[in-house]
Amino acid sequence: MKFLKKHIYIIAGLFLLAACKPEVKTAQLTHGSANFSRFIAVGNSLTAGYADGGLYLDGQLNSYPSIMAGQMQSVGGGSFNQPLFTSAQANGSGYLQLTGFNADGTPITTPVTTDLAIRGILPVPGFGNVTLYTKYTGDIENYGVPGIKLLNITYAPYGNLNGYFERLLPNDAPTNTTDYLDFVTAKPFTFFSDWLGNNDALLYATSGGAGDVLTDETTFAQLYSLSISKLTATGAKGVVATIPDVTSIPYFNTVTVNAIVAGVQKLNPAVQGIYINALVSGTTYAPRLATAKDLIVLTFPTSMIGQLVSTPYGELPYGLTPYSPIDNQYVLDANEIALTQEHVLSFNSTITSIAASKGLAVFDAYTFLNNIKQNGLVIDGLNLNSNYISGGLFSLDGVHLTPRGYAIVANEFIKAINSKYGSNIPLANVANYRGVKFP
Amino acid sequence: MRKLLLLLWLALPVCAFSQGFQVNLEGEKQIGMGHTGTGLLTDGASVFFNPGAVAMLPENYVQAGISPLVFQSVFNPSGSNVQYHTLNKIAPPFTFYGVWGPKSSWWKFGFGVYTPFGGLTDWGDNWQGKYVLESLNLKAIYFQPTLSIKLADFVSIGGGFVYNRGSVDLTQAIPLANQAGQDGQAELKGTGHGYGWNAGIYFKTESGVTVGITHRSGVSTTINNGNAIFTVPTALQSYFPQPNTFKSTIPLPAVNSVGIGFYPSPKWTLALDMNITSWNVYKTLEFDYKYTTPDLQNTVSPRNYNDAFTFRAGAQYKSSPRTAWRFGGGFATTAVGDSYVTPEAPDANRVYFTGGFGYLISKHLDLDASFEFEHLLSRTSTNIQYQLSGTYESNIYIPGVSLSYHW
């Protein structure tokens, strides 16, 4: 057609135009007054990427420091090495997997026991058995060690008592003598994140106040000051985080006193409540009826309730009489909660005041997670909350996070860094990280 | 006894005919002139532009056109430098008009088939807003028989009945990962219908200026028995019963228009149009499922749209009796408040420019080509329901061509 011949160039030009995609003008990326060329992460299980009751490769790959480091790449971040398990031993320490639901909707979890990285068990006299893992010998930027307390960071033999730390050290237990603080600061670094201190309160709480002790508040302040002085000694900048309220995690909010009582009353309406062995004061415990203010741990086997156990008063149903109360290890009672919360508040005021004095950025995890517990969190069309499994944030152990939870934490760290140092590290895309895996 | 309350996993669902879905591609001659035509006598497209003008058309018409449309959007999440682009997909709005009446009679009958609303947006399954929307394909096809009557030499009126056949196909990721870590997906797919009407009046004033006023009614379109397809991990299938259906009603808004035509010389035609689209009918979007569970609830999403205004201007220059050159443009205000912007058609104030060319191939046959470029201004918003926060910007490229036979 004549028309087409005449105007073919115009038409071709119009189609070329159509190939231009719109672009949004974004701010020039900058590292601000910070230098991310060697970023190290100091902390415990949360920092290591622990999830679902274990440390395994998939969790490590989704640790919040590695997500942060990935985002720092665009503002001068260097390489970020993690002590990863090999793919042949990808399941590391082993972990819990969700394998189904019971008819009543309760989840069934099963431990993963293949492809582990367990090297052996070392009995340590006066301490107990230490599980040893396959050694990691490469470079390390993520120094997260599951189980470590702030209390442990200057204790030289600690490398023989914690298998996750031992695997990073050159020597085999029991011959290690390097303490954690010296180990992480041995090589020069320019930026650090520090989220230590959780276990100084959490391990007491998760053991129902029975299997561990709270770190003394003054000792905590001294060690925190010491560690921050050492981390900032060579001019490195950094970000620290406060310690979450231990009662904000699903580990304590999933199995509730009211739910247990309701379950028992279905079978026996005469039952008034369940008995626990509760803290009176100091180290004195006495049995009493549980109330909604007492928290039951996620791992409590509820089937124990009502089973006959032998007591000085004869065979009595477990948990249903003052002579056969629920064991202390399964309950964080109201007084233990108060004690834990008092310590956490003290730890946090130490953390924020020392961070302020050193000019460090602070991610207030305490406020952030309490806020999620109260109000939930909606982000990019995701409805998240602190509920076990369905909340999307917490992994199957009810304490540690899912990759999605870790991505959200990484973004909160990044926001704190950006606002303190005038950088604009881009936020990670939370939608790229999964929640709990379902069968 | 670890009670598991699986609640509100789905931010279900978005699906909105927003201003972004008002297509405004109802005739190539008119597109060339900035999509004006309410106050003009141009061709069979008057069935759409002003049914009141149909009786004044000097000839009978049969015509068809197509305007393949590429809607390119970009999203830049707040606090990030990443840019997510929609995939290039071509939506094909089309028009068909027939106008017939006895020569020089006082009446004419018209019939139109056109697509006043529609959209094709595909962000893919790997972008930041995938839990809000992955892709959306929706169409509204209006069928409109029309009768127009000339009351006097200077005034005519007309009205039509509208039957709408609408279809929607929406996909959205569900944040429930399977063992491979992959998301679930929801797909809502269905067709529905609705009814409406329109009416117009057309004047030739003594000064030679022509004026048109039209009302196109709202068309409330209901989808009954749409398929609601949920792909979720096996252990959760009972929470998302299959097969399932949904019902939803989408109120396509009424449009009031006024247009004026000027004829400064025999070669020049100038036109101005203004439209008010009554988007404020769109308060909420509701989806009702046939089978609901604690995790699959009927949903109500706030939309709270505002009425939107469009101002259009266009011109035609006849360089010879056989050839016409057209150009135009306009400005449209957004119907969507800052807190309600969604990715299905990220609405914003928009500007557009058009150009066109018409050629009389033979005594009875017109070939018309048009091109429209629309730019949706950059807009930063945080959606109140989804907390998806970022900046959108969109370009729309629309070439078009039509053939009109007239006698």
Side-chain angles (χ1 to χ4, degrees):
Chain A
M1 242 182 305
K2 199 176 154 201
F3 171 81
L4 265 181
K5 270 184 190 162
K6 254 173 128 177
H7 299 283
I8 188 79
Y9 296 108
I10 294 171
I11 291 166
L14 293 177
F15 276 99
L16 262 180
L17 237 184
C20 310
K21 289 184 168 181
E23 287 289 324
V24 175
K25 279 199 189 74
T26 56
Q28 186 79 31
L29 293 179
T30 168
H31 53 72
S33 59
N35 175 351
F36 303 111
S37 57
R38 183 164 185 257
F39 159 55
I40 63 164
V42 178
N44 47 48
S45 49
L46 292 165
T47 303
Y50 196 94
D52 302 322
L55 186 66
Y56 62 108
L57 182 59
D58 191 43
Q60 293 180 307
L61 292 171
N62 291 299
S63 71
Y64 75 82
S66 76
I67 297 170
M68 288 168 71
Q71 300 303 112
M72 286 175 180
Q73 293 287 320
S74 54
V75 290
S79 64
F80 189 81
N81 298 289
Q82 302 197 89
L84 299 177
F85 293 113
T86 61
S87 53
Q89 300 186 332
N91 296 332
S93 66
Y95 61 96
L96 294 174
Q97 215 173 15
L98 183 63
T99 46
F101 293 97
N102 295 309
D104 63 356
T106 57
I108 305 164
T109 55
T110 311
V112 175
T113 54
T114 56
D115 299 335
L116 302 185
I118 293 174
R119 181 175 111 225
I121 308 284
L122 178 73
V124 176
F127 179 79
N129 286 340
V130 175
T131 306
L132 301 175
Y133 301 98
T134 307
K135 287 273 186 185
Y136 174 82
T137 53
D139 290 334
I140 300 176
E141 269 77 37
N142 186 346
Y143 290 101
V145 168
I148 195 170
K149 294 179 178 184
L150 185 70
L151 188 66
N152 306 134
I153 63 169
T154 56
Y155 184 55
Y158 190 66
N160 305 319
L161 304 178
N162 182 326
Y164 294 110
F165 186 29
E166 197 265 357
R167 74 179 276 262
L168 311 181
L169 293 169
N171 299 332
D172 286 354
T175 61
N176 284 304
T177 54
T178 309
D179 74 36
Y180 181 75
L181 189 57
D182 283 342
F183 181 65
V184 303
T185 53
K187 278 173 67 181
F189 56 92
T190 60
F191 197 88
F192 66 91
S193 70
D194 178 2
W195 199 5
L196 277 168
N198 306 57
N199 288 333
D200 297 81
L202 181 75
L203 294 185
Y204 169 80
T206 53
S207 66
D212 210 307
V213 289
L214 293 158
T215 298
D216 175 69
E217 294 166 1
T218 314
T219 311
F220 186 96
Q222 286 165 351
L223 284 170
Y224 204 81
S225 175
L226 175 74
S227 61
I228 294 296
S229 297
K230 186 137 188 182
L231 286 166
T232 55
T234 55
K237 296 187 161 86
V239 60
V240 302
T242 57
I243 298 164
D245 183 346
V246 292
T247 64
S248 68
I249 58 179
Y251 188 80
F252 291 112
N253 295 309
T254 306
V255 181
T256 63
V257 171
N258 289 343
I260 294 174
V261 173
V264 176
Q265 284 173 338
K266 250 186 220 167
L267 303 172
N268 182 357
V271 169
Q272 292 300 305
I274 51 172
Y275 285 87
I276 59 169
N277 204 11
L279 179 62
V280 179
S281 68
T283 53
T284 313
Y285 280 79
R288 64 165 169 82
L289 271 176
T291 75
K293 287 180 178 162
D294 303 307
L295 301 178
I296 310 293
V297 301
L298 179 65
T299 50
F300 176 54
T302 49
S303 57
M304 282 169 72
I305 295 280
Q307 287 183 11
L308 292 179
V309 288
S310 62
T311 73
Y313 304 92
E315 300 247 301
L316 290 172
Y318 184 77
L320 301 182
T321 76
Y323 313 107
S324 56
I326 296 175
D327 290 289
N328 195 4
Q329 75 201 71
Y330 297 125
V331 186
L332 191 68
D333 65 65
N335 282 342
E336 291 170 334
I337 293 168
L339 202 58
T340 312
Q341 287 181 326
E342 178 196 309
H343 277 73
V344 168
L345 289 177
S346 161
F347 296 167
N348 283 343
S349 84
T350 296
I351 291 169
T352 46
S353 68
I354 291 175
S357 74
K358 296 284 183 182
L360 299 175
V362 180
F363 158 42
D364 189 356
Y366 179 88
T367 306
F368 186 72
L369 288 174
N370 269 353
N371 202 9
I372 291 179
K373 190 192 166 196
Q374 298 290 319
N375 308 314
L377 176 70
V378 180
I379 177 168
D380 299 345
L382 284 162
N383 276 300
L384 303 165
N385 59 52
S386 301
N387 291 346
Y388 186 54
I389 297 186
S390 63
L393 291 172
F394 287 93
S395 71
L396 295 171
D397 59 33
V399 176
H400 300 93
L401 303 176
T402 57
R404 179 158 290 152
Y406 282 127
I408 287 168
V409 161
N411 280 347
E412 293 305 311
F413 271 106
I414 289 171
K415 287 178 195 169
I417 295 168
N418 285 345
S419 82
K420 186 76 191 180
Y421 297 112
S423 52
N424 58 359
I425 305 166
L427 298 178
N429 175 7
V430 172
N432 268 352
Y433 297 87
R434 65 165 176 86
V436 170
K437 281 183 181 178
F438 291 89
Chain B
M1 219 166 285
R2 297 179 205 167
K3 269 282 181 247
L4 187 62
L5 291 171
L6 308 163
L7 276 175
L8 292 179
W9 266 324
L10 245 54
L12 267 183
V14 293
C15 162
F17 289 85
S18 71
Q19 179 86 331
F21 288 116
Q22 195 174 356
V23 170
N24 292 321
L25 299 166
E26 314 306 348
E28 264 57 39
K29 293 187 180 78
Q30 291 81 358
I31 295 168
M33 296 177 69
H35 211 252
T36 57
T38 310
L40 298 180
L41 272 184
T42 311
D43 61 4
S46 287
V47 170
F48 169 84
F49 282 92
N50 187 347
V54 169
M56 294 279 196
L57 286 169
E59 293 180 287
N60 294 328
Y61 282 87
V62 177
Q63 64 185 77
I66 185 162
S67 304
L69 172 155
V70 184
F71 197 104
Q72 293 186 330
S73 290
V74 62
F75 176 71
N76 165 233
S78 296
S80 169
N81 61 334
V82 176
Q83 312 240 354
Y84 297 98
H85 290 273
T86 52
L87 303 180
N88 277 327
K89 294 226 169 149
I90 295 171
F94 63 90
T95 55
F96 167 83
Y97 300 106
V99 169
W100 183 85
K103 216 54 175 173
S104 313
S105 164
W106 54 274
W107 66 274
K108 264 190 170 38
F109 175 76
F111 188 75
V113 183
Y114 53 89
T115 51
F117 298 94
L120 185 56
T121 314
D122 188 351
W123 292 95
D125 57 7
N126 202 22
W127 80 294
Q128 188 146 348
K130 66 184 174 183
Y131 299 117
V132 179
L133 182 78
E134 288 180 347
S135 68
L136 174 62
N137 183 1
L138 57 84
K139 295 185 196 103
I141 303 174
Y142 280 21
F143 297 84
Q144 181 198 328
T146 303
L147 184 66
S148 182
I149 294 165
K150 198 192 286 185
L151 299 176
D153 280 346
F154 61 91
V155 59
S156 61
I157 57 170
F161 165 82
V162 167
Y163 169 80
N164 171 33
R165 185 180 178 282
S167 68
V168 62
D169 185 353
L170 171 152
T171 60
Q172 180 188 44
I174 303 176
L176 293 173
N178 63 15
Q179 283 301 310
Q182 289 160 336
D183 288 316
Q185 197 193 45
E187 180 172 17
L188 300 176
K189 198 176 177 179
T191 57
H193 59 265
Y195 304 97
W197 56 276
N198 56 27
I201 184 164
Y202 179 81
F203 304 96
K204 289 179 179 169
T205 63
E206 282 185 29
S207 60
V209 171
T210 55
V211 179
I213 299 169
T214 66
H215 172 80
R216 295 198 292 279
S217 78
V219 178
S220 183
T221 299
T222 300
I223 297 171
N224 283 309
N225 296 318
N227 287 317
I229 305 157
F230 299 103
T231 313
V232 293
T234 322
L236 298 171
Q237 269 168 6
S238 59
Y239 297 96
F240 296 89
Q242 289 289 298
N244 201 351
T245 61
F246 72 92
K247 178 184 170 181
S248 186
T249 296
I250 301 159
L252 297 178
V255 183
N256 291 300
S257 305
V258 56
I260 305 173
F262 307 92
Y263 312 90
S265 81
K267 289 185 170 180
W268 280 95
T269 304
L270 304 178
L272 288 174
D273 264 37
M274 192 182 101
N275 316 128
I276 303 166
T277 308
S278 305
W279 283 111
N280 73 349
V281 295
Y282 200 27
K283 299 289 188 209
T284 59
L285 175 67
E286 302 178 18
F287 276 81
D288 293 341
Y289 296 99
K290 187 172 178 191
Y291 304 106
T292 58
T293 69
D295 300 293
L296 183 64
Q297 301 277 347
N298 296 335
T299 61
V300 180
S301 310
R303 285 292 182 269
N304 293 323
Y305 279 19
N306 309 309
D307 288 352
F309 298 86
T310 310
F311 304 92
R312 311 168 181 282
Q316 170 176 275
Y317 174 72
K318 293 199 94 160
S319 58
S320 80
R322 298 182 82 98
T323 49
W325 300 90
R326 308 183 182 106
F327 58 93
F331 175 78
T333 65
T334 178
V336 185
D338 269 342
S339 306
Y340 301 95
V341 179
T342 53
E344 68 254 36
D347 204 35
N349 291 334
R350 58 180 70 196
V351 291
Y352 67 96
F353 306 96
T354 69
F357 175 81
Y359 189 71
L360 192 64
I361 295 175
S362 73
K363 192 181 168 198
H364 294 296
L365 190 63
D366 295 347
L367 173 73
D368 292 286
S370 63
F371 187 83
E372 176 166 340
F373 169 72
E374 262 186 74
H375 178 66
L376 276 69
L377 305 184
S378 166
R379 183 169 200 193
T380 302
S381 78
T382 301
N383 182 279
I384 195 170
Q385 185 184 7
Y386 308 111
Q387 295 297 314
L388 179 63
S389 181
T391 304
Y392 295 96
E393 199 170 324
S394 305
N395 287 338
I396 313 174
Y397 304 91
I398 315 151
V401 64
S402 71
L403 280 171
S404 313
Y405 185 79
H406 44 90
W407 70 100

